[in-house]
Amino acid sequence: MTAPRALTIAGSDSGGGAGIQADLKTFQELDVFGMSAITAVTAQNTLGVHGVYPMTPQAVAAQIDAVGQDLGVDALKTGMLFDAAIIEAVAERIQSFGWNRLVVDPVMIAKGGAELLRAEAVEALKKHLLPLALVVTPNIPEAEALTGMKIATMNDRREAARRIADFGAAMVVIKGGHAVVETQKREKQLQVVDLVYDGSEFEELVGERIDTRHTHGTGCTFSAAVAARLAAGSDTREAVRTGRRFIQAAIEGAPALALGSGHGPTDHAAYRRSRKL
Ligand SMILES: Nc1ncnc2c1ncn2[C@@H]1O[C@H](COP(=O)(O)OP(=O)(O)O)[C@@H](O)[C@H]1O
Ligand SMILES: Cc1ncc(COP(=O)(O)OP(=O)(O)O)c(N)n1
């Protein structure tokens, strides 16, 4: 029997905490064979993004074709796509291969503020990619950009999830890492809540909020874990729940890595280690 296979279509992070590097580590940790199509190379470390060097849409499509025509793909995710031409090429290849276990992480801006998706490409994302998605995983600023809404409360988040589902994604997960407004009266936030919407029901995945600056690549890692579980045959809801457990362990383990002098990477091996205890 063939090993489960997952493809990431995303940018390269030279620092190893986000992008393709985070995705491949996560696939490996979850016993899934990882493959990649690189959309852009970034010169990046824990202090920020120092350069962005995009590939041509043709080069991205050629990588996808090479993988799809030979190795095969059970599930895939997209991350940094950079511009509308790359988005269109990626969507066209996904449709042509008929891949439907697709996780779209609508990466837009890095935590340090660097633009990883051109502002004018948000429309292309909505039009070409979201209709193909089994799961879409915006953080709060990304959900605001997709919907044009300001998100301050959990009700706002539910409304944003409904609007994003209307673009065609089967399941929407609005991640709560950036949610500070609702709890600003408390000195410290104790929880992080990811809101899951399947087109009819809402579920809140509640976790302990880890007080750390080492959260570089959390969104990439979470969506890669979801894609890995989908590749292994999980249903969508189980895949999202495992993704949440995976990123929680990775963030808990991040301070011990003690890498870099800025926003350090998470520990991609922590989930596997925790399961051996
Ligand atoms: N401080 C934290 N403690 C625990 N989980 C977190 C923390 N920050 C983010 N997460 C989790 O990491 C994942 C990514 O969240 P978020 O930071 O919102 O996205 P992004 O990395 O795309 O900006 C989500 O599952 C979120 O719940
Ligand atoms: C190459 C590349 N892709 C995506 C990101 C964004 O990663 P994300 O997990 O959303 O969070 P931060 O890394 O921005 O903290 C990236 N930085 N680089």
Side-chain angles (χ1 to χ4, degrees):
M1 207 174 87
T2 319
R5 303 149 295 182
L7 168 66
T8 169
I9 304 173
S12 164
D13 168 10
S14 54
I20 290 280
Q21 288 79 357
D23 296 344
L24 292 177
K25 290 175 200 179
T26 301
F27 293 164
Q28 183 76 20
E29 288 295 322
L30 290 170
D31 289 327
V32 168
F33 185 77
M35 302 164 287
S36 64
I38 296 182
T39 56
V41 171
T42 69
Q44 189 172 174
N45 56 24
T46 66
L47 297 171
V49 178
H50 306 284
V52 174
Y53 309 93
M55 306 291 289
T56 62
Q58 294 76 17
V60 177
Q63 294 172 77
I64 297 171
D65 285 348
V67 169
Q69 287 162 4
D70 177 38
L71 293 127
V73 170
D74 296 304
L76 70 161
K77 68 155 277 189
T78 61
M80 171 185 182
L81 294 173
F82 189 65
D83 66 16
I86 293 179
I87 290 171
E88 284 179 36
V90 166
E92 196 274 320
R93 296 323 295 147
I94 291 173
Q95 272 182 301
S96 134
F97 278 107
W99 293 328
N100 51 23
R101 292 173 85 77
L102 166 66
V103 181
V104 175
D105 182 10
V107 171
M108 294 181 191
I109 309 274
K111 283 200 180 74
E115 188 183 64
L116 302 178
L117 180 74
R118 289 198 188 283
E120 62 272 18
V122 173
E123 287 308 311
L125 199 61
K126 291 187 330 199
K127 182 170 170 200
H128 299 292
L129 212 50
L130 292 197
L132 309 180
L134 185 56
V135 188
V136 58
T137 63
N139 62 25
I140 288 178
E142 290 158 356
E144 289 179 336
L146 290 170
T147 59
M149 288 176 57
K150 183 80 198 135
I151 299 176
T153 65
M154 209 62 192
N155 263 346
D156 295 340
R157 241 200 276 182
R158 280 189 275 271
E159 177 55 24
R162 284 189 202 96
R163 292 192 196 181
I164 294 169
D166 284 346
F167 297 128
M171 182 174 280
V172 180
V173 182
I174 303 190
K175 299 168 296 185
H178 297 247
V180 287
V181 180
E182 295 161 73
T183 51
Q184 66 190 0
K185 289 198 190 94
R186 289 200 242 154
E187 276 190 5
K188 262 193 187 164
Q189 288 176 258
L190 301 176
Q191 291 183 332
V192 59
V193 182
D194 293 347
L195 179 70
V196 181
Y197 179 58
D198 65 2
S200 61
E201 288 181 7
F202 291 99
E203 181 183 8
E204 293 182 10
L205 301 181
V206 181
E208 182 196 347
R209 184 175 283 273
I210 312 298
D211 187 14
T212 174
R213 66 188 158 90
H214 300 304
T215 55
H216 175 53
T218 48
C220 303
T221 301
F222 169 72
S223 55
V226 177
R229 290 306 302 157
L230 289 174
S234 288
D235 71 44
T236 319
R237 204 166 275 279
E238 191 282 322
V240 168
R241 289 183 185 144
T242 303
R244 184 70 198 74
R245 287 194 290 273
F246 190 96
I247 191 59
Q248 185 75 23
I251 298 171
E252 281 172 10
L257 288 181
L259 290 169
S261 46
H263 292 289
T266 69
D267 183 356
H268 295 95
Y271 178 77
R272 186 192 285 275
R273 274 200 310 271
S274 73
R275 290 170 66 82
K276 284 194 183 137
L277 296 175

